Amino acid sequence: MSVPQTGERGTIKPKADFDAGDDVVALRKAIEGLGTKDKVLIDILTHRSGAQRQLICEAYLGATGRTLVEDLKGDTSGDFEELLVALVTPPAVYDCHEVMRAMQGAGTKDSVLIEIFASRSNQQIKALSDVYLEETEKMLTLDLKSEVSGDFSNALLLLAEGKREDNTAVDADKAKEDAKTLYDAGEKKWGTDETKFVDILCNRSIPQLRQTLVEYKNISGKTLQHSIEGEMSGELEELLVAIVKCVKSVPAFFAERLYESMKGGGTDESTLNRIMVGRSEIDMLDIRAEFKKLYEYSLHSAIESDLSDSLGECVTAICGGED
């Protein structure tokens, strides 16, 4: 399974003098000794790149005949266990398992599907679909079709195909034309033609949509997000707003998701874990900056005041230093 390269804006970087064998010895001591030493697990797994963690998994299996995932599940529990398992799972496999989890049981967790399919690139969506096919021998799009319905289903399935246009050149005339189509389909008429919104927002390239947002504001005097929120409701509104937010800024989208996961009485640990691990090597530094800009306190301090014990330590380590 290929692992994405570590990005410049991630908080987790490859360890310079990395030795998978040494790490396996330390991990075994921490897991097999009396009482699992959480600090050792955290120190190792949050200070190695995803590619290095996969090498550790291979070496661990070779040394013990057991997978590291099995042993982590056997020796840790709850949200801390889920976070450690996420760290040693390749990104496409982890995305795939999160999608499966969202589809299981009574009531599909639409917000998880929306977060994943609105924010991932074609390449990431294709990779998670390949894992899904490999593990279930079924097509992800067919299984999704049986879980969701209506215009929301049409939009989600378009995204799940991973066929969004990916050219980087912007066609200014096309952006004006699309902006007018959206205005005519929403603000200008009685009753909204959702299919036009789905077609444009789920198919155009991200740079093209960025220009379309500008043109839409010029025509209508409102932002497209504002119009969608006024014209639509339910899951379709949530999905299209998520796409618009990701077009504007993926890090700001995730900063807001993190804030939502921690505000109020309880913490949504699974969303917190998914974002912290998923973005740790891509743009966590940018997410931290956006969080500070939006909420006027640091992500680091939000995590520290919200989480305790080993889970808090591990999430804080992934977050990196105080801003």
Side-chain angles (χ1 to χ4, degrees):
M1 177 63 62
S2 65
V3 178
Q5 293 301 301
T6 304
E8 287 299 306
R9 305 298 298 156
T11 47
I12 294 185
K13 308 284 185 193
K15 184 172 188 282
D17 51 348
F18 170 69
D19 186 314
D22 288 350
D23 285 344
V24 168
V25 171
L27 287 169
R28 286 186 71 178
K29 265 190 200 160
I31 291 170
E32 292 168 5
L34 201 60
T36 304
K37 293 172 184 64
D38 293 350
K39 191 175 181 335
V40 176
L41 303 182
I42 294 166
D43 284 350
I44 292 175
L45 297 178
T46 63
H47 293 94
R48 309 291 183 272
S49 68
Q52 289 175 336
R53 292 194 296 267
Q54 288 313 299
L55 293 171
I56 291 169
C57 287
E58 285 170 28
Y60 194 92
L61 181 62
T64 65
R66 303 183 305 271
T67 67
L68 180 52
V69 168
E70 283 171 318
D71 280 5
L72 289 172
K73 284 183 172 179
D75 269 71
T76 57
S77 62
D79 298 305
F80 180 53
E81 173 204 311
E82 282 188 18
L83 183 56
L84 294 179
V85 168
L87 282 165
V88 298
T89 305
V93 178
Y94 183 61
D95 270 354
C96 175
H97 290 171
E98 287 294 285
V99 167
M100 286 167 147
R101 210 156 63 144
M103 287 160 64
Q104 279 162 2
T108 305
K109 293 185 185 67
D110 293 328
S111 64
V112 176
L113 299 179
I114 288 167
E115 178 200 301
I116 289 174
F117 288 111
S119 66
R120 303 303 193 257
S121 66
N122 285 350
Q123 194 185 354
Q124 288 171 315
I125 289 169
K126 282 178 180 149
L128 87 85
S129 298
D130 288 347
V131 175
Y132 193 90
L133 183 62
E134 204 178 295
E135 293 196 3
T136 66
E137 298 183 346
K138 293 180 193 166
M139 297 279 289
L140 174 59
T141 45
L142 292 179
D143 280 0
L144 274 173
K145 206 170 188 173
S146 65
E147 293 286 334
V148 290
S149 59
D151 287 313
F152 173 61
S153 169
N154 297 338
L156 197 68
L157 290 169
L158 271 175
L159 296 176
E161 282 173 7
K163 290 180 180 169
R164 182 185 287 288
E165 296 161 9
D166 53 10
N167 47 317
T168 51
V170 173
D171 181 335
D173 292 336
K174 182 77 176 160
K176 282 181 183 155
E177 189 188 313
D178 281 348
K180 177 142 190 350
T181 300
L182 291 170
Y183 180 63
D184 291 345
E187 290 288 340
K188 202 178 170 188
K189 70 191 290 262
W190 180 260
T192 308
D193 183 354
E194 282 92 353
T195 55
K196 296 281 197 299
F197 282 81
V198 169
D199 179 45
I200 291 169
L201 289 172
C202 297
N203 282 309
R204 301 286 183 269
S205 72
I206 300 303
Q208 185 66 31
L209 284 175
R210 211 163 275 147
Q211 186 59 33
T212 306
L213 296 187
V214 173
E215 298 299 345
Y216 186 88
K217 184 113 192 277
N218 291 342
I219 294 172
S220 78
K222 288 182 179 177
T223 65
L224 183 57
Q225 181 179 332
H226 191 272
S227 292
I228 293 168
E229 287 168 344
E231 298 281 324
M232 297 180 204
S233 61
E235 290 91 353
L236 180 64
E237 178 201 336
E238 197 186 327
L239 176 58
L240 297 183
V241 166
I243 293 169
V244 169
K245 285 178 177 177
C246 286
V247 167
K248 289 194 287 191
S249 167
V250 170
F253 170 73
F254 281 119
E256 195 181 333
R257 288 281 294 164
L258 285 169
Y259 173 77
E260 293 291 333
S261 78
M262 290 184 280
K263 78 169 192 187
T267 305
D268 175 0
E269 283 89 354
S270 62
T271 293
L272 185 67
N273 286 353
R274 183 174 57 252
I275 297 171
M276 295 305 294
V277 174
R279 310 310 294 188
S280 61
E281 294 184 77
I282 301 171
D283 53 7
M284 186 52 68
L285 291 172
D286 298 323
I287 292 170
R288 274 172 29 183
E290 290 293 342
F291 192 96
K292 189 95 183 262
K293 199 159 73 179
L294 286 166
Y295 306 111
E296 296 182 347
Y297 56 95
S298 71
L299 177 58
H300 191 280
S301 63
I303 292 164
E304 281 198 323
S305 65
D306 207 69
L307 299 174
S308 58
D309 307 329
S310 299
L311 177 66
E313 277 178 50
C314 197
V315 176
T316 305
I318 295 168
C319 179
E322 182 70 86
D323 288 306

